[in-house]
């Protein structure tokens, strides 16, 4: 039992095994929360509106690929709740610079929020990883800042 609890609030508590890593497999549209090699939870995800390939610069609509960390959280997100991904790293800044562009930033795992409509495409973000609002409530409770996240093609 994972031990998630809530009483009508978007803020849940969690007392299960520590999430030691997040794994995103873009081609599967899946997010895995892991405790060592054990999968604790799996979520369906949406990606940036141009889902193939690694994010190269601000505005390209791609979701980054590589190793990052959860580095912040936003309890007041317009997308219900969100946890930040440490994009861009040194490699990302160098790649964007070679292209004469800015790398962008503000990549998050977030919910859909009140403005999301059922008619929106599966991949609709500007490069973030989107989940259902109930899912981000669990993720927000389970994942701590500093947790590594590997985003694979």
């Amino acid at each position: 039992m994972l031990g998630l609890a809530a009483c009508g609030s978007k803020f849940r508590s969690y007392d299960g095994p520590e999430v030691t890593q997040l794994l995103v497999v873009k081609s599967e549209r899946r997010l895995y929360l892991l405790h060592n090699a054990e999968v604790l939870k799996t979520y369906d995800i949406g990606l940036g509106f141009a889902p193939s390939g690694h994010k190269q610069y601000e505005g390209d609509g791609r979701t980054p690929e590589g190793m990052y960390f959860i580095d912040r959280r936003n309890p007041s997100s317009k997308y219900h709740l969100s946890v930040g991904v440490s994009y861009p790293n040194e490699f990302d800044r160098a790649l964007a610079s070679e292209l004469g562009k800015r790398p962008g930033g503000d990549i998050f795992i977030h919910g859909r929020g009140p403005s999301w409509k059922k008619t929106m495409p599966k991949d609709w973000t500007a490069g973030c990883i989107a989940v259902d609002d109930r899912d981000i409530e669990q993720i927000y409770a389970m994942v701590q800042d500093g947790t590594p996240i590997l985003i694979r093609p």
Side-chain angles (χ1 to χ4, degrees), residues 105-127:
D106 286 339
I107 301 296
F108 287 87
I109 301 169
H110 61 67
R112 294 181 173 166
S115 62
W116 189 85
K117 298 174 180 60
K118 293 238 182 242
T119 57
M120 292 175 78
K122 177 81 173 166
D123 297 320
W124 59 274
T125 75

Side-chain angles (χ1 to χ4, degrees), residues 1-16 33 41 43 73-75 80-83 131-144:
M1 191 73 187
L2 291 178
L4 284 166
C7 296
S9 168
K10 67 181 181 179
F11 299 104
R12 297 177 179 225
S13 60
Y14 174 70
D15 64 358
L33 302 186
K41 293 288 287 184
Y43 301 97
R73 50 195 59 241
N74 183 356
H80 194 57
L81 291 168
S82 61
V83 294
V131 296
D132 290 338
D133 287 351
R134 285 188 184 267
D135 294 345
I136 192 60
E137 290 174 3
Q138 292 177 357
I139 295 163
Y140 195 91
M142 293 175 73
V143 175
Q144 300 303 309

Side-chain angles (χ1 to χ4, degrees), residues 33-100:
L33 302 186
L34 304 169
H35 173 75
N36 300 321
E38 177 189 355
V39 176
L40 298 174
K41 293 288 287 184
T42 304
Y43 301 97
D44 293 324
I45 61 171
L47 300 168
F49 61 82
S52 295
H54 174 61
K55 183 167 195 60
Q56 297 182 3
Y57 55 86
E58 184 175 47
D60 68 3
R62 293 180 176 151
T63 301
E65 296 171 357
M67 179 61 79
Y68 300 95
F69 296 90
I70 300 303
D71 65 352
R72 61 200 181 283
R73 50 195 59 241
N74 183 356
S76 302
S77 171
K78 69 179 179 179
Y79 301 108
H80 194 57
L81 291 168
S82 61
V83 294
V85 176
S86 63
Y87 174 89
N89 60 27
E90 257 184 69
F91 170 81
D92 301 316
R93 285 189 286 278
L95 177 61
S97 180
E98 286 175 18
L99 298 170

